Amino acid sequence: MHYFLTEEQQMIVDICRQIVEERIKPQRAEMDENCIFPAEIIKEIGKSDLFRLFVPEQYGGMGTGIFEVCLATEELSRGDLSVATTYAASGLGFIPIILLGSEEQKKKYLPQLASGEKLAAFGLTEPEAGSDVGAIRTKAVKDGDFYILNGTKQWITNGGEADIYTVFTMTDPSKGARGASAFIVEKGTKGFDFGKKENKLGIRASATRELIFTDCRVPKENLIAGEGMGFIAAMRTFDQSRPAVGAQAVGVAQAALEEAINYSKVRKQFGASISSLQAIQHMLADMATQIEAARTLVYHAAKVIDSGEKNVSRLSAMSKLFASDVAMKVTTDAVQIFGGYGFMKEYPVEKMMRDAKITQIYEGTNQVQRNIIALDLIKRGVL
Amino acid sequence: MVDIKIIVCIKQVPGTTEIKINPETNTLVREGIETVINPFDTYAIEEGVRLKEKLAPLLSQTGEEIETIALTMGPPQSGEMLKEAIALGIDKAVLLSDRAFAGADTWATALTLAEAIKKFDDWKLIILGKQTLDGDTGQVGPELAQKLNIPFIGYASSILDINKNRMTIKRLMEDRYETFEIRLPAAISVGKDINIPRVPSLRGKLKAKNEAIPVWDKNYLNLDQSQIGLEGSYTQVIKISMPEHHYEVKMLEGSPDHQVDELYGKLKELNIV
């Protein structure tokens, strides 16, 4: 397939493909089985300039856009969704700084995030709050030149591994979501600890941990865009980041399709390869068609964001919703084509199916994506 | 002004097992064949880049600079390989290319490389892969060091310490490790135990794309035809031929039990079991 990539975009894909083939594929099964965080692979990704894709040129980035981020994320996801999640979650952690951070915050944090020297994380979810930002219980109370943070964040990707955390707190609970504020908190700050590591169904090599704040004093300079701007920061970040979740879904689906095609050609039943059976052929055709439709939607959403268009929530949500549903279906069908072997850990498709599930859940469940799409349709009309 | 130069000598080799031989010259046909950086040379590139990354911050404290240079002798298409080296972090590259260089053996190759290296000032270290996959001799490194009158350590497995004047280097022999302290300038050859070569970076690839690779010919190097290429070679490959293999395949038939019995009988007959 030809996607009319520029020479630079093709270079991004080639670099990721080399990382997938040489570094990720030989290790992914063991990383998954033993929940091993891919620290060395992430270093390699940093050295290859892939974190720079998120960041403007003046802060050490490549000055590229969400489309390039999606290309990289998709390719890395073809290798392993844990690695791609770690990569994309770091980006998620520093997008609020890019979008709404002060010049000082950008100068201080973005260059070291762009180089991959430091990893970031996005701390929004709590036991009682995810998409419902107004239900956040972590509090930030102003005390002179500091804010004092208290509370617990849950299921934070890159928790414990990241150096820089964007943490969403409540500075004025009486205002609900409009009373939320975002802070940059550095690992090692007194009163900032990590809780248990989660044992997950999929993306088992990625780090998912609690962030615990106990009278944690954060300098007031680390507040992003002023008190009460937390909700806006979170929503605008998701508008930018959701196509990358779509790209993760496309990547893992593509990997499952490739495995299914290869297996169907070598697996013989009734004296012939199962790829000669129309039942299998039609499954493969449907899988490929769905992936292509998902990819097209993800690329389109990314390009619209990069064009500077303001109202991108609907398209961004659509790309995440559609691509993740496709990933779940395609990876499940890949397991079906493998039959009993697909159910065994000796083959990679069962892991892809386990991994794919999270793309329907994180950065807003697919039910929440439908809410966003419907609200936008009602508010702004079809066009 | 660059104060220290590290020169990495690399070679383009066929990236395929389908080796073709020119029946007239008895040398490898390189035109039109997919090529790659000789795998052992990728470790040499990585070590050069790592040394620069390690030494550059230390040298910058005294206002000094360090530079890595990739050098190859080969046909014009070798320029693409040199660009790959730049994408991997090498600062600049030079291609030695001239019809007159063709057919060189290791002696003539080492002489040509040595003359090119003499054109640089302040080079301190030459790193080579321990051997090439096509020629497989491992001779160019030691011959080059001899022509430049510098120490040579082959099969280095780690550089323990290095400064502007000396380096400590370890190598693994069949039954022992050897550690040497040598004065610089020097040449070393490396194998796959020294590092894990990196994946190219995006900025490296973009830099490489726009990089003009200088080409030095025999006139630029002031070399006489009698010293280089086939004429300057003490050895010449008279004939390369593929070994002939004779295989006899017998398909066993019948029930699995029968096949196992027959196979066991055959293996016993051949004294294998």
Side-chain angles (χ1 to χ4, degrees):
Chain A
M1 288 288 200
H2 202 300
Y3 298 102
F4 304 99
L5 302 183
T6 64
E7 202 175 343
E8 183 178 353
Q9 289 161 350
Q10 189 58 51
M11 285 175 185
I12 295 168
V13 173
D14 291 344
I15 289 169
C16 293
R17 210 160 274 180
Q18 195 176 343
I19 292 173
V20 166
E21 297 302 325
E22 293 178 9
R23 305 289 203 268
I24 298 179
K25 280 191 178 176
Q27 298 184 56
R28 65 183 175 188
E30 197 202 342
M31 284 172 5
D32 172 69
E33 184 68 20
N34 300 315
C35 302
I36 301 166
F37 183 76
E40 287 304 313
I41 295 171
I42 293 297
K43 266 189 206 158
E44 192 79 50
I45 286 172
K47 276 191 197 168
S48 298
D49 296 330
L50 297 176
F51 286 109
R52 294 185 198 278
L53 299 178
F54 290 95
V55 180
E57 264 177 308
Q58 65 266 40
Y59 307 110
M62 298 300 297
T64 40
I66 297 297
F67 181 57
E68 283 78 8
V69 167
C70 284
L71 288 175
T73 307
E74 178 188 336
E75 271 311 310
L76 294 173
S77 305
R78 245 184 87 246
D80 181 57
L81 203 56
S82 290
V83 172
T85 296
T86 307
Y87 168 70
S90 188
L92 187 66
F94 54 87
I95 288 175
I97 306 175
I98 295 171
L99 292 178
L100 295 163
S102 67
E103 191 56 29
E104 290 70 28
Q105 288 168 345
K106 288 178 185 178
K107 277 187 186 154
K108 182 173 178 189
Y109 293 107
L110 293 181
Q112 47 193 2
L113 293 167
S115 68
E117 182 194 332
K118 293 197 170 171
L119 210 57
F122 185 84
L124 174 68
T125 305
E126 296 184 2
E128 304 294 332
S131 295
D132 181 4
V133 175
I136 285 175
R137 294 207 181 145
T138 298
K139 279 187 188 156
V141 177
K142 196 148 191 244
D143 179 26
D145 288 342
F146 291 84
Y147 281 87
I148 300 170
L149 271 57
N150 277 290
T152 300
K153 294 287 168 185
Q154 183 174 262
W155 304 332
I156 305 306
T157 305
N158 293 349
E161 303 291 340
D163 307 280
I164 314 289
Y165 296 76
T166 306
V167 179
F168 293 83
T169 66
M170 205 48 90
T171 41
D172 187 352
S174 69
K175 290 185 181 164
R178 303 285 165 187
S181 303
F183 291 90
I184 302 165
V185 186
E186 294 184 33
K187 186 180 183 175
T189 306
K190 198 176 168 212
F192 175 24
D193 297 303
F194 303 104
K196 66 168 176 163
K197 288 182 182 174
E198 304 293 345
N199 185 9
K200 308 187 291 287
L201 170 77
I203 55 165
R204 290 168 56 79
S206 71
T208 311
R209 252 177 120 168
E210 286 177 330
L211 313 181
I212 301 166
F213 300 94
T214 314
D215 294 330
C216 175
R217 292 171 73 82
V218 177
K220 71 175 183 350
E221 294 77 29
N222 287 20
L223 173 66
I224 298 176
E227 283 189 24
M229 289 295 286
F231 179 72
I232 306 260
M235 293 307 115
R236 284 191 55 194
T237 297
F238 285 142
D239 280 350
Q240 302 260 316
S241 68
R242 277 181 181 136
V245 180
Q248 290 175 26
V250 171
V252 71
Q254 176 77 21
L257 173 64
E258 287 168 15
E259 293 291 341
I261 293 170
N262 291 339
Y263 181 79
S264 71
K265 290 200 275 195
V266 295
R267 171 67 170 170
K268 290 202 165 52
Q269 288 287 275
F270 310 109
S273 301
I274 62 169
S275 63
S276 66
L277 303 173
Q278 201 175 48
I280 300 293
Q281 290 173 355
H282 284 189
M283 285 177 80
L284 294 173
D286 283 344
M287 291 156 79
T289 307
Q290 288 157 2
I291 292 170
E292 213 47 56
R295 180 180 285 120
T296 305
L297 184 52
V298 167
Y299 287 6
H300 177 60
K303 285 179 175 175
V304 169
I305 292 169
D306 290 340
S307 76
E309 168 65 39
K310 293 268 186 299
N311 298 311
V312 292
S313 302
R314 184 200 307 178
L315 199 52
S316 186
M318 282 174 168
S319 68
K320 189 268 190 194
L321 164 69
F322 186 76
S324 60
D325 281 353
V326 164
M328 201 61 242
K329 171 139 184 33
V330 166
T331 53
T332 308
D333 285 350
V335 171
Q336 190 68 25
I337 288 171
F338 270 73
Y341 288 108
F343 204 67
M344 303 300 152
K345 292 210 171 194
E346 280 75 13
Y347 290 87
V349 286
E350 62 82 31
K351 172 184 171 297
M352 291 170 186
M353 181 176 140
R354 286 188 283 109
D355 286 348
K357 185 65 201 170
I358 193 63
T359 61
Q360 292 181 306
I361 297 172
Y362 61 16
E363 292 196 35
T365 62
N366 280 6
Q367 286 66 36
V368 164
Q369 305 308 316
R370 288 181 173 91
N371 292 349
I372 294 167
I373 296 163
L375 278 175
D376 192 68
L377 282 172
I378 293 160
K379 190 171 139 196
R380 296 199 303 126
V382 183
L383 293 174
Chain B
M1 177 66 189
V2 177
D3 304 276
I4 295 183
K5 293 192 180 90
I6 296 175
I7 296 172
V8 181
C9 295
I10 62 178
K11 186 183 182 187
Q12 204 171 32
V13 296
T16 166
T17 49
E18 291 169 37
I19 306 285
K20 285 183 189 157
I21 295 153
N22 181 332
E24 284 173 20
T25 60
N26 285 317
T27 53
L28 294 174
V29 174
R30 299 188 192 278
E31 288 78 20
I33 304 275
E34 188 216 351
T35 55
V36 295
I37 301 176
N38 174 47
F40 290 118
D41 298 348
T42 63
Y43 302 98
I45 292 170
E46 177 66 23
E47 203 55 26
V49 174
R50 285 188 189 193
L51 281 175
K52 179 182 170 172
E53 286 172 347
K54 185 179 163 189
L55 293 174
L58 302 172
L59 290 166
S60 70
Q61 291 170 6
T62 49
E64 291 175 293
E65 282 182 40
I66 179 168
E67 186 174 70
T68 51
I69 299 159
L71 185 63
T72 195
M73 185 183 91
Q77 54 173 305
S78 303
E80 285 308 306
M81 174 192 67
L82 290 170
K83 287 190 172 194
E84 276 183 59
I86 289 170
L88 288 163
I90 292 287
D91 296 313
K92 64 183 193 190
V94 173
L95 170 61
L96 312 180
S97 193
D98 195 315
R99 296 294 299 177
F101 297 151
D105 69 357
T106 58
W107 179 268
T109 301
L111 178 93
T112 311
L113 290 173
E115 290 307 310
I117 289 167
K118 285 179 191 168
K119 293 269 179 197
F120 297 106
D121 304 319
D122 297 317
W123 52 274
K124 289 284 182 186
L125 182 63
I126 301 167
I127 312 177
L128 309 94
K130 66 174 184 174
Q131 67 206 72
T132 54
L133 279 196
D134 52 359
D136 221 13
T137 64
Q139 291 170 358
V140 171
E143 286 175 352
L144 174 63
Q146 193 190 11
K147 286 179 193 301
L148 293 167
N149 198 25
I150 56 172
F152 176 81
I153 301 293
Y155 313 109
S157 57
S158 72
I159 294 172
L160 302 175
D161 192 26
I162 182 165
N163 61 40
K164 271 174 72 177
N165 303 313
R166 303 190 83 77
M167 71 191 290
T168 312
I169 197 160
K170 191 174 173 182
R171 71 173 177 185
L172 176 63
M173 302 305 284
E174 267 185 21
D175 57 349
R176 64 191 182 278
Y177 283 106
E178 293 178 345
T179 304
F180 298 88
E181 192 183 316
I182 54 174
R183 65 179 161 76
L184 299 180
I188 61 170
S189 77
V190 300
K192 63 181 180 183
D193 43 357
I194 195 159
N195 58 45
I196 300 171
R198 73 193 60 194
V199 171
S201 70
L202 183 57
R203 292 195 300 184
K205 273 180 173 264
L206 289 169
K207 178 174 182 261
K209 190 184 99 175
N210 299 317
E211 193 80 3
I213 308 283
V215 181
W216 294 356
D217 60 10
K218 95 173 183 338
N219 293 337
Y220 183 79
L221 296 177
N222 289 324
L223 286 164
D224 189 77
Q225 181 69 63
S226 65
Q227 299 170 283
I228 53 173
L230 264 179
E231 253 186 78
S233 296
Y234 283 90
T235 60
Q236 188 182 342
V237 179
I238 298 167
K239 188 177 182 189
I240 299 180
S241 56
M242 296 294 177
E244 286 181 25
H245 295 290
H246 293 286
Y247 298 108
E248 201 184 324
V249 178
K250 180 174 163 45
M251 299 302 290
L252 303 178
E253 288 179 6
S255 69
D257 284 349
H258 174 77
Q259 287 184 39
V260 169
D261 286 345
E262 200 180 335
L263 178 63
Y264 183 71
K266 274 274 173 208
L267 293 175
K268 199 156 188 178
E269 202 181 301
L270 295 167
N271 286 326
I272 293 170
V273 291

